[in-house]
Amino acid sequence: ATEAGAGDVLNFEEHDEVGRLEWVLERTNGRGADTTIEATGAPDAVVQAMRFTRDAGRVVVVGQYTDHGPVSIEAAFNPHLDLNKRHLDVRGCWGSDFSHFYRGVQLTSDPVRSAPWAGLKSKLSRYALAKAKEGLSDASVGRVIKALISPR
């Protein structure tokens, strides 16, 4: 994220929810983030994204492409306190359309705008079908961003 231009980053695995919220509030003068993007796929992350976002801010949920179930009891989502009272604009995205791919091609074909993303290419790996288990293992521990499984 830093290489792609992020001003500051936090490893969520090293902090609990309270620590994460404190981190966000410290960097936003106590307001919360203007926009929070939930891209993890963890149901509790949606509730946390709402809590990390300032009043009248925007939450974009793009990580819930498969059903990972409801939020945990610990997340204790309260629609009044976590959403309505805060006037949040929550947007979900389940799929993509041609315009997303078109803009992606424009970005990757521009040498200046694509420079921060060039390092990601080294994190893509192709695996033969017989090595699918290895590819999934590499992806699960972060050795690769995307494991492409080739049936041939």
Side-chain angles (χ1 to χ4, degrees), residues 43-152:
D44 288 2
V46 175
V47 180
Q48 290 182 35
M50 291 179 180
R51 293 177 181 162
F52 299 162
T53 307
R54 68 167 171 81
D55 286 355
R58 175 174 289 167
V59 177
V60 183
V61 181
V62 296
Q64 304 296 318
Y65 291 115
T66 57
D67 187 353
H68 291 281
V71 297
S72 69
I73 292 172
E74 293 82 21
F77 173 67
N78 182 324
H80 173 72
L81 294 176
D82 293 325
L83 179 61
N84 285 5
K85 188 175 179 188
R86 308 217 19 247
H87 300 277
L88 292 178
D89 177 7
V90 180
R91 300 194 178 196
C93 177
W94 186 73
S96 55
D97 63 39
F98 175 76
S99 71
H100 301 140
F101 297 105
Y102 177 76
R103 287 192 311 256
V105 169
Q106 287 181 313
L107 177 72
T108 58
S109 64
D110 181 326
V112 174
R113 293 190 304 158
S114 67
W117 305 102
L120 294 178
K121 291 178 185 173
S122 65
K123 298 287 269 179
L124 299 175
S125 294
R126 184 177 300 271
Y127 298 82
L129 186 56
K131 300 248 182 184
K133 186 174 179 180
E134 178 184 339
L136 295 173
S137 175
D138 286 350
S140 72
V141 297
R143 278 192 289 273
V144 298
I145 289 177
K146 190 66 92 170
L148 305 171
I149 310 298
S150 175
R152 297 176 192 185

Side-chain angles (χ1 to χ4, degrees), residues 4-53:
D8 208 347
V9 296
L10 169 75
N11 183 340
F12 270 39
E13 294 175 340
E14 296 175 0
H15 300 81
D16 62 9
E17 183 178 354
V18 172
R20 296 170 194 158
L21 178 59
E22 289 173 355
W23 186 89
V24 170
L25 294 176
E26 284 173 7
R27 284 153 181 79
T28 59
N29 296 318
R31 292 182 55 214
D34 293 330
T35 301
T36 305
I37 301 171
E38 184 286 309
T40 67
D44 288 2
V46 175
V47 180
Q48 290 182 35
M50 291 179 180
R51 293 177 181 162
F52 299 162
T53 307

